[in-house]
């Protein structure tokens, strides 16, 4: 599902050269749940941005969900992103729209027929345990609930791969565990997941394969 | 998808707020100015065309030719070129015409000892030769004929009218163009504002895999709708002004230009103006730039 071959990413700020990632190679198979961990600044977010083609690698090759991400033309990027669900630390919900509308919005822009939207939204809300909060605005939801809505929005697309960038970063421990439990349930239903977190504790609690990044290099691949 | 795009367009229009209203107002103003000059120019153009059609050059003859000499004379005149029609008017017909024109005063003519009016040839220049230069050349050639005493007629004043028409058209294009540019910039500003407001939405759209077309079409439609709305309002105000002013202006037009009736823009011209408004708006929407695509 995800394959990186000697991937490197360099940012240039005038004469300054910042090596964000260097020589990263790994593979995440279909149906696998992998944790990407490491301290802040290790390159986790950069790596995920390369996977959904928000950034282009400076070197190496990336394959995601059957797409050769490195060779992808700009017009083809939407096709890649349709196959991926993405969840961020901040839920990125639209403040003026209800939980239902936020999830439906993600489907409507993809041209999903209207009659399919309602069942898919409610199915996704049910999967994250928020069926009763469908009409609530983001401001009326707790941070944990907002993150669940974001997760539901990603799930409603029925993605082959779910990428999560610090999805529990702004949540307290108890809520974080609830959200991680949801990821676990989603994985059990067959979705491939790559979850980035700086918390080694959370990573160890999940007891899944863990890829450790340090200073842009993959230093450990354990529990696979 | 169409429903989504239209829904987003309406939402964007509401977001544009006052700047959006200003854009519609400026488009109205620019198209109304353009339409106004267009209307004036069109009617002036009609007057010019009518006058060109009525244009005659009259060659007065030294003496009335015998009947058998008329046809060869006309043939020689025709051979001069640049002529659409010829008509020989003998002394008797000239007098009859004068009497008709004098109406109740026609009796004066009967007091004359003899018919003083000369025979003449009325020459209608060819359509493509109804220019001052061509008419001057025709007059010169007619003057050179030994039978011709004097030649009257010319197109100078018709051409002056045509120059006015071109000037009006030019001013209309200039004023309309400047206002159109301002309108485009206002639509661009309104759309850019909307782009800033919906930054978060566009980010979500890109992340879930929406194509650039889906992201940008509502902005384009927003501009297009503003443009169309402006064009409809411009046409409405033009029609209103035309209806109100027409009864007062028509006698003046008849007197000065010989136009029996002024006319409004044709359906095709109305469609062109509407299309122009739509294009102005859409172009403004297209120019708007927010955060670029990923």
């Amino acid at each position: 599902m995800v394959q990186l071959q000697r991937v490197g990413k360099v940012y240039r700020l005038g004469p300054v050269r910042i090596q964000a990632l260097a020589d990263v190679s790994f593979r995440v198979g279909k149906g696998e749940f992998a944790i990407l961990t490491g301290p802040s600044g290790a390159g986790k977010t950069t790596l995920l941005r390369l996977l959904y083609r928000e950034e282009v690698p400076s070197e190496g090759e990336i394959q995601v969900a059957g797409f050769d991400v490195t060779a992808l033309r700009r017009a083809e990027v939407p096709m890649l992103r349709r196959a991926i669900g993405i969840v961020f630390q901040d839920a990125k919900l639209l403040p003026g729209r209800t939980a239902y509308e936020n999830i439906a919005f993600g489907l409507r822009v993809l041209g999903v027929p209207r009659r399919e939207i309602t069942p898919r939204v409610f199915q996704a809300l049910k999967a994250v345990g928020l069926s009763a909060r469908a009409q609530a605005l983001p401001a009326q939801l707790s941070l944990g609930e907002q993150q669940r809505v974001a997760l539901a929005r990603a799930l409603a697309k029925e993605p082959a791969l779910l990428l999560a960038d610090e999805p529990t970063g702004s949540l307290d421990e108890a809520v974080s565990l609830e959200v991680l439990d949801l990821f676990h349930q989603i994985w059990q239903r067959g979705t491939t997941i790559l979850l980035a977190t700086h918390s080694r504790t959370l990573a160890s609690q999940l007891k899944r394969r863990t890829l450790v990044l340090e200073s842009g290099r993959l230093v450990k691949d354990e529990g696979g | 998808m169409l429903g989504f795009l239209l829904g987003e367009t309406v939402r964007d229009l509401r977001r544009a707020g006052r700047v959006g209203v200003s854009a519609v107002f400026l488009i109205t103003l620019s198209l109304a100015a353009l339409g106004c000059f267009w209307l004036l120019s069109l009617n002036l153009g009609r007057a010019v065309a009518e006058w060109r059609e009525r244009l005659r050059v009259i060659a007065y003859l030294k003496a009335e030719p015998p009947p058998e000499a008329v046809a060869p004379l006309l043939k020689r005149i025709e051979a001069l070129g640049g002529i659409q029609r010829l008509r020989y008017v003998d002394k008797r017909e000239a007098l009859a015409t004068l009497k008709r024109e004098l109406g109740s005063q026609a009796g004066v003519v009967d007091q004359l000892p003899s018919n003083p009016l000369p025979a003449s040839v009325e020459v209608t220049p060819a359509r493509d030769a109804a220019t001052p230069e061509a008419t001057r050349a025709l007059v010169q050639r007619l003057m050179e004929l030994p039978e011709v005493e004097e030649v009257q007629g010319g197109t100078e004043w018709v051409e002056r009218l045509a120059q006015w028409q071109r000037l009006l058209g030019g001013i209309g294009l200039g004023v309309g163009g400047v206002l159109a540019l301002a309108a485009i910039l206002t639509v661009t500003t309104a759309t850019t504002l909307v782009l800033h407001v919906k930054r978060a939405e566009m980010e979500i759209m890109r992340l879930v895999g929406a194509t650039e077309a889906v992201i940008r079409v509502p902005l384009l439609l927003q501009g297009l709708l503003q443009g169309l709305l402006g064009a409809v309002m411009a046409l409405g105000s033009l029609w209103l002004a035309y209806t109100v002013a027409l009864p007062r202006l028509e006698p003046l037009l008849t007197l000065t230009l010989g136009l029996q009736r002024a006319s409004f823009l044709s359906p095709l011209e109305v469609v062109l103006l509407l299309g122009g408004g739509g294009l102005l708006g859409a172009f403004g929407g297209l120019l708007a730039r927010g955060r670029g695509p990923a």
Side-chain angles (χ1 to χ4, degrees), chain A residues 88-131:
Chain A
F88 298 92
Q89 180 173 345
D90 61 320
K92 291 191 192 297
L93 298 181
L94 302 171
R97 305 192 193 219
T98 63
Y100 174 93
E101 287 166 346
N102 263 284
I103 301 166
F105 180 77
L107 296 175
R108 293 187 74 190
V109 298
L110 298 182
V112 174
R114 200 176 272 267
R115 63 179 181 283
E116 282 182 34
I117 289 177
T118 304
R120 278 171 72 169
V121 171
F122 276 107
Q123 206 176 342
L125 278 169
K126 193 178 162 197
V128 299
L130 278 182
S131 304

Side-chain angles (χ1 to χ4, degrees), chain A residues 12-64:
Chain A
R12 285 173 214 280
L13 296 167
V16 185
R17 189 174 178 276
I18 300 164
Q19 182 86 45
L21 289 172
D23 200 23
V24 177
S25 300
F26 66 84
R27 186 179 170 280
V28 177
K30 191 176 176 197
E32 205 176 333
F33 190 158
I35 315 290
L36 186 64
T37 190
S40 293
K44 303 183 295 295
T45 298
T46 303
L47 198 148
L48 291 186
R49 285 166 71 87
L50 292 178
L51 296 185
Y52 60 86
R53 194 38 165 76
E54 187 71 13
E55 308 243 14
V56 185
S58 308
E59 56 188 345
E61 286 176 15
I62 302 174
Q63 299 273 337
V64 175

Side-chain angles (χ1 to χ4, degrees), chain B residues 126-178:
Chain B
R127 209 175 278 265
D128 55 349
T131 62
E133 298 75 29
T135 315
R136 260 198 299 276
L138 179 65
V139 168
Q140 193 57 44
R141 288 197 297 273
L142 286 168
M143 285 292 287
E144 285 164 8
L145 292 173
E147 294 88 343
V148 173
E149 172 78 40
E150 193 189 337
V151 181
Q152 273 184 3
T155 60
E156 275 77 5
W157 76 270
V158 180
E159 284 314 310
R160 269 201 294 278
L161 207 60
Q163 275 170 5
W164 274 102
Q165 181 209 353
R166 282 193 288 273
L167 184 70
L168 273 176
I171 292 173
L173 272 181
V175 173
V178 169

